[in-house]
């Protein structure tokens, strides 16, 4: 074999090796069941906090510890509020209600997830108002290790659980 043939063979071997080399770092194995369980546990903490804020008649934790800065909320009449500043008056108006949030169907993939829920609303006896339930969809993102709601949509009704 001549020097030129040797160089050609070496280049061919290097090219073949490069074609068979992985193009990125090996992917980390995901455990979807564990990921879903962790997501459900984390958002349950957020739901518990939101329920407690309603019981305490204090909208502040909902506005500053549940929703992201740019959260979007679309109500059962199609009205939309964007951001904490627009959500604040809504919560200041409805905070006297009692709330129970019941997850129906959750999904997560990495740092994004959603949760369909029954959002039960009731009132103190003196309010003389009938309880009701919304079917709600919460949209979630994990930011620096904490789940934040980026928004919701809701209509009157209830999922059968």
């Amino acid at each position: 074999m001549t020097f030129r043939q040797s160089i050609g063979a070496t280049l061919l071997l290097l090219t073949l090796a490069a074609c068979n080399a992985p193009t990125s770092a090996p992917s980390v194995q995901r455990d979807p069941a564990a990921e879903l369980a962790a997501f459900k546990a984390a958002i349950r903490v957020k739901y518990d906090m939101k329920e407690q804020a309603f019981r305490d008649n204090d909208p502040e934790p909902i506005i500053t510890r549940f929703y992201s800065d740019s959260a979007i909320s679309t109500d059962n009449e199609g009205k939309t509020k964007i951001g904490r500043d627009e959500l604040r008056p809504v919560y200041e108006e409805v905070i006297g209600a009692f709330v129970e949030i019941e997850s129906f169907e959750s999904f997560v993939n990495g740092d994004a997830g959603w949760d369909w829920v029954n959002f039960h609303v009731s009132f103190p006896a003196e309010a003389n108002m009938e309880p009701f339930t919304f079917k709600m969809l919460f949209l979630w993102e994990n930011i620096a290790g904490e789940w934040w709601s980026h928004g919701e949509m809701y209509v009157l009704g209830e999922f059968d659980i």
Side-chain angles (χ1 to χ4, degrees), residues 6-95:
S6 175
I7 294 291
T10 301
L11 289 175
L12 177 63
L13 287 174
L14 289 172
T15 301
L16 289 173
C19 289
N20 289 324
T23 57
S24 63
S27 64
V28 175
Q29 291 293 330
R30 287 183 49 238
D31 181 350
E35 186 177 27
L36 183 60
F39 171 66
K40 286 181 171 185
I43 64 173
R44 183 70 251 168
V45 169
K46 293 286 188 163
Y47 292 154
D48 290 346
M49 181 269 305
K50 189 172 188 173
E51 291 171 358
Q52 185 63 49
F54 270 96
R55 284 191 298 277
D56 293 343
N57 206 18
D58 181 9
E60 199 60 29
I62 299 169
I63 301 301
T64 61
R65 295 186 7 232
F66 187 88
Y67 291 108
S68 70
D69 290 336
S70 59
I72 298 173
S73 177
T74 299
D75 70 17
N76 60 316
E77 296 173 353
K79 297 175 190 162
T80 299
K81 306 292 183 194
I82 300 174
R84 289 176 176 163
D85 289 341
E86 289 186 18
L87 286 172
R88 184 177 304 282
V90 173
Y91 278 95
E92 288 172 348
E93 181 179 326
V94 301
I95 199 66

Side-chain angles (χ1 to χ4, degrees), residues 68-130:
S68 70
D69 290 336
S70 59
I72 298 173
S73 177
T74 299
D75 70 17
N76 60 316
E77 296 173 353
K79 297 175 190 162
T80 299
K81 306 292 183 194
I82 300 174
R84 289 176 176 163
D85 289 341
E86 289 186 18
L87 286 172
R88 184 177 304 282
V90 173
Y91 278 95
E92 288 172 348
E93 181 179 326
V94 301
I95 199 66
F98 300 113
V99 165
E100 179 187 349
I101 304 167
E102 177 183 39
S103 287
F104 171 70
E105 183 71 30
S106 305
F107 174 83
V108 68
N109 188 350
D111 288 337
W114 63 78
D115 194 33
W116 289 99
V117 306
N118 285 325
F119 194 90
H120 303 287
V121 181
S122 60
F123 303 91
E126 63 271 9
N128 199 28
M129 296 176 71
E130 292 295 316

